Amino acid sequence: VKDSGRNGVSFFHSDMEERSLERILLENELKKAIQYEQFRIDYQPKLDLATGKVTGMEALVRWDHPELGRIAPNKFIPIAEETGLIIPLGEWVLRRGCEQNKHWQDQGYPPLKVSVNLSARQFYQPDLLDMISRILKDTGLEPQWLELEVTESIFADIDNAAAILQEIRNLGVHTSIDDFGTGYSSFSYIKNLPIDTLKIDASFIRDIHRNKESHAIVKAILTIAQTLNLSVIAEGVEIPEQLAVLNEDGCGHGQGFLFSKPLSSQDFENYLKDLPIT
Ligand code: C2E
Ligand code: CA
Ligand code: CA
Ligand code: CA
């Protein structure tokens, strides 16, 4: 900070200013983006590791700004969460994802589950259940073909979280805990929670093939999941060495660049067309 150039102090200042300017800019652009529908969704396949079959896909929002270009979700989702814009944006993603999934089913592709990320802010909206039911009704998607991915951050209010998760289950919609192992995930939390799937965070998968500790954590998650009757998916599977370990450990599902990057809806459809007929 002190001497990063001709004038360290003003450098520091301009850096701070720049950051908040960027932030204000993005906030404003985000509002317009919702209005002008600058968003798209990419779909990343999820596979059954034992059979190699595709079982579902995660909907990942994409923002292509007309002047600024592609803006990464890790950049704009936190702003959308803080400003509350995640509410309309998240609803749009859910609706679009369900619509698209139903469309593929109607086209005759084997039925898949679409997973949609739900931020904590959305999870605690009083009309969450109404919104989900409405979207399922409007799109005609049966609830078992929808999964909501929530992060451990919702467990800050564990009793409330459990009640809402139960209501989601009552709708027939599946839930999974995203980035599992990185947050509040003391195993005691998940003991009585009505959830279906643990999604092992990519940080454990990254070095699972060469780090004893990561491998031990993954094995512990698989054991607990088996005991609690939960399914497991590993995210961020990039190389065959990681897949080999996951197969050996009996991990049920996987997702990652090794299988496919997130694809535009058109590319995802081509991917479905190219799958071997079984
Ligand atoms: P996430 O939910 O953990 O999603 C997985 C991220 O990992 C995605 O990044 C995906 O493109 C990336 N990924 C998938 N496979 C691999 C791999 O093998 N290696 C590596 N290095 N990365 C891989 P993306 O699309 O940039 O999204 C980042 C985060 O933004 C998401 O993390 C999620 O937290 C958030 N996000 C994205 N779409 C939505 C949305 O519609 N709603 C909400 N609330 N959050 C979203
Ligand atoms: Ca996710
Ligand atoms: Ca994740
Ligand atoms: Ca993440």
Side-chain angles (χ1 to χ4, degrees):
V1 175
K2 256 198 307 205
D3 76 357
S4 49
R6 299 148 297 170
N7 183 334
V9 175
S10 76
F11 239 68
F12 179 70
H13 263 277
S14 74
D15 193 42
M16 297 256 294
E17 270 161 29
E18 229 170 78
R19 210 169 302 156
S20 57
L21 274 177
E22 184 191 44
R23 158 86 213 210
I24 292 162
L25 173 77
L26 285 184
E27 216 176 294
N28 282 326
E29 292 305 307
L30 205 47
K31 278 181 209 150
K32 286 195 263 172
I34 291 173
Q35 207 180 326
Y36 296 118
E37 302 212 18
Q38 292 170 1
F39 298 102
R40 299 185 302 100
I41 300 178
D42 276 359
Y43 297 90
Q44 188 178 34
K46 296 187 177 192
L47 282 80
D48 181 318
L49 294 182
T51 64
K53 276 196 189 169
V54 178
T55 58
M57 62 280 186
E58 179 173 6
L60 294 157
V61 70
R62 298 291 177 252
W63 182 13
D64 290 311
H65 187 280
E67 282 107 41
L68 301 171
R70 163 75 53 94
I71 301 166
N74 286 333
K75 200 151 201 176
F76 71 83
I77 292 287
I79 301 175
E81 283 171 344
E82 279 171 52
T83 54
L85 290 167
I86 193 68
I87 306 296
L89 175 58
E91 178 167 352
W92 181 84
V93 174
L94 183 61
R95 181 172 289 275
R96 207 47 222 108
C98 289
E99 222 167 54
Q100 180 67 74
N101 196 24
K102 172 71 171 144
H103 175 73
W104 281 325
Q105 291 185 2
D106 290 347
Q107 302 269 99
Y109 295 106
L112 302 173
K113 214 184 312 184
V114 65
S115 302
V116 177
N117 292 284
L118 200 68
S119 74
R121 184 111 183 218
Q122 289 177 279
F123 184 82
Y124 284 112
Q125 281 294 298
D127 70 344
L128 174 72
L129 276 297
D130 288 343
M131 180 193 65
I132 299 169
S133 318
R134 197 176 348 108
I135 287 177
L136 289 171
K137 187 166 163 283
D138 291 351
T139 61
L141 185 72
E142 289 174 63
Q144 77 263 29
W145 303 116
L146 172 64
E147 176 180 73
L148 299 173
E149 297 192 2
V150 297
T151 61
E152 294 159 298
S153 61
I154 63 165
F155 300 150
D157 185 356
I158 190 71
D159 293 336
N160 241 327
I164 297 168
L165 286 167
Q166 184 60 52
E167 289 182 289
I168 294 176
R169 170 166 287 183
N170 294 345
L171 288 180
V173 171
H174 294 252
T175 54
S176 74
I177 303 189
D178 205 353
D179 307 338
F180 188 75
T182 58
Y184 282 85
S185 65
S186 134
F187 284 152
S188 63
Y189 273 107
I190 57 168
K191 192 175 69 175
N192 296 310
L193 282 180
I195 49 164
D196 303 289
T197 301
L198 301 179
K199 191 167 190 182
I200 307 176
D201 190 68
S203 60
F204 303 113
I205 308 304
R206 192 164 303 127
D207 58 0
I208 187 177
H209 55 301
R210 50 180 161 76
N211 180 292
K212 277 208 312 275
E213 286 76 19
S214 290
H215 190 191
I217 288 168
V218 171
K219 281 202 278 195
I221 294 174
L222 289 169
T223 303
I224 206 90
Q226 197 167 30
T227 309
L228 298 175
N229 230 324
L230 302 172
S231 64
V232 179
I233 180 163
E235 71 175 343
V237 184
E238 293 185 344
I239 55 173
E241 288 85 343
Q242 295 162 341
L243 175 61
V245 179
L246 290 166
N247 271 328
E248 205 171 298
D249 291 347
C251 179
H253 294 82
Q255 177 183 352
F257 295 167
L258 177 63
F259 310 112
S260 169
K261 298 201 167 190
L263 303 168
S264 69
S265 52
Q266 187 54 61
D267 288 348
F268 191 85
E269 191 166 330
N270 291 333
Y271 174 90
L272 291 180
K273 282 189 187 132
D274 290 344
L275 289 176
I277 297 157
T278 44

